[in-house]
DNA sequence: CTTGACCTTCCAGTCACTGGAAGCCCGATA
DNA sequence: TATCGGGCTTCCAGTGACTGGAAGGTCAAG
């Protein structure tokens, strides 16, 4: 576990995972797709430095807000770019917000349609069922 | 295209797809997973009979209501089972409704959180950005 | 020296398709 | 009869974002 002089402050994938609250598998996946690429120790073990752990935390938070991996890639690069503008960041967030809003509208419409079918179905021991009738009727 | 005496009323995958409004690829996929398995003509072509086209329409409608393929499998089997009870059907629909409701709640919570961040961000040419700050701060 | 907990890579599976390649079949035209 | 175009066949791979598992290397402790 040392290499302490060479990899000062660096931690293994398991330690980084515990520190951030993501599975180690996910960290390996993020490396594979080039999101957070740690150094390696002499034995081949990943060595996450504090900056990379920080990026992982950033990623975890962004993912928990529903941003796609591609969005996260852009957000991370903006985060690391002193020449960014806040309008670039805001645009991504707004686009994501609209996508969510759109999906909510879809789901609410589905829910309402299901509610109508569920209300129409007595739900007893008999076989006749307005839900199946609707599915079969296709309309 | 005949075989008319043997496969009366049966249509090819393309014709069935057009009739139902699903891509032919999807019909082949539904056969692969055992949802709707048509006969074959002498030349190997799929032969969808009216009953199978009907099941495909049922599937299309159920999928458009957001039911999973597994749900659809059960719904189809209930549809074809005279001994079913409407309560079985209703239970599936209610479970699906609750899953949708749950997802809506999640998305609305995400949306509200995004709204707060978006409102806090002035969105101009300057680099400082509460959205990035929040992602980086993790809290 | 062995145990056990790590770590490594690679492969497969998830869900419901979708795209594409290679090749067969059929009706219609030249 | 040759061939052309369109539709049919199968099989393989990719999507998003991981997740599970197998086979094997590494390391500190007992």
């Amino acid at each position: 576990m040392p290499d302490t002089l060479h990899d000062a402050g660096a931690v293994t994938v398991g330690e980084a995972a515990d520190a951030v609250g993501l599975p180690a598998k996910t960290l390996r996946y993020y490396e594979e797709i080039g999101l957070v690429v740690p150094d390696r120790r002499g034995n081949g073990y990943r060595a996450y430095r504090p900056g990379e752990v920080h990026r992982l935390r950033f990623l975890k938070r962004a993912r928990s807000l529903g941003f796609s991996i591609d969005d996260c890639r852009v957000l991370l690069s903006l985060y690391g770019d002193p020449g960014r503008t806040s309008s670039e960041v805001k645009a991504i967030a707004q686009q994501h917000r609209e996508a969510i809003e759109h999906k909510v509208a879809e789901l609410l419409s589905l829910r309402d349609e299901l509610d109508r079918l569920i209300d129409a179905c007595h739900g007893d021991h008999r076989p006749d069922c307005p839900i199946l009738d609707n599915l079969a009727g296709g309309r």
Side-chain angles (χ1 to χ4, degrees), chain A residues 86-139:
Chain A
S86 65
S87 65
E88 294 174 282
V89 180
K90 189 169 184 171
I92 293 173
Q94 278 171 327
Q95 213 167 348
H96 179 43
R97 197 216 106 104
E98 291 316 308
I100 288 175
E101 191 80 354
H102 182 72
K103 186 160 290 177
V104 165
E106 267 182 16
L107 289 177
L108 287 180
S109 149
L110 283 190
R111 188 201 58 183
D112 291 350
E113 213 160 344
L114 282 169
D115 277 344
R116 282 192 287 278
L117 294 178
I118 289 169
D119 284 353
C121 176
H122 33 60
D124 59 15
H125 63 288
R126 287 171 297 170
D128 55 298
C129 172
I131 301 175
L132 290 182
D133 289 349
N134 180 283
L135 294 177
R139 187 160 23 77

Side-chain angles (χ1 to χ4, degrees), chain A residues 66-79:
Chain A
F67 287 104
S68 71
I69 290 286
D70 271 359
D71 279 349
C72 289
R73 211 181 285 277
V74 178
L75 288 170
L76 264 182
S77 89
L78 288 173
Y79 182 56

Side-chain angles (χ1 to χ4, degrees), chain A residues 20 22 30 35-36 50-69 71-81 84 89 92:
Chain A
V20 172
L22 287 171
Y30 286 169
L35 265 189
V36 176
E52 280 141 6
V53 173
H54 190 63
R55 283 163 62 82
L56 287 172
R57 256 191 272 270
F58 183 103
L59 267 176
K60 187 198 177 190
R61 172 75 178 137
R63 291 288 299 130
S64 82
L65 282 173
F67 287 104
S68 71
I69 290 286
D71 279 349
C72 289
R73 211 181 285 277
V74 178
L75 288 170
L76 264 182
S77 89
L78 288 173
Y79 182 56
D81 172 15
R84 72 178 173 247
V89 180
I92 293 173

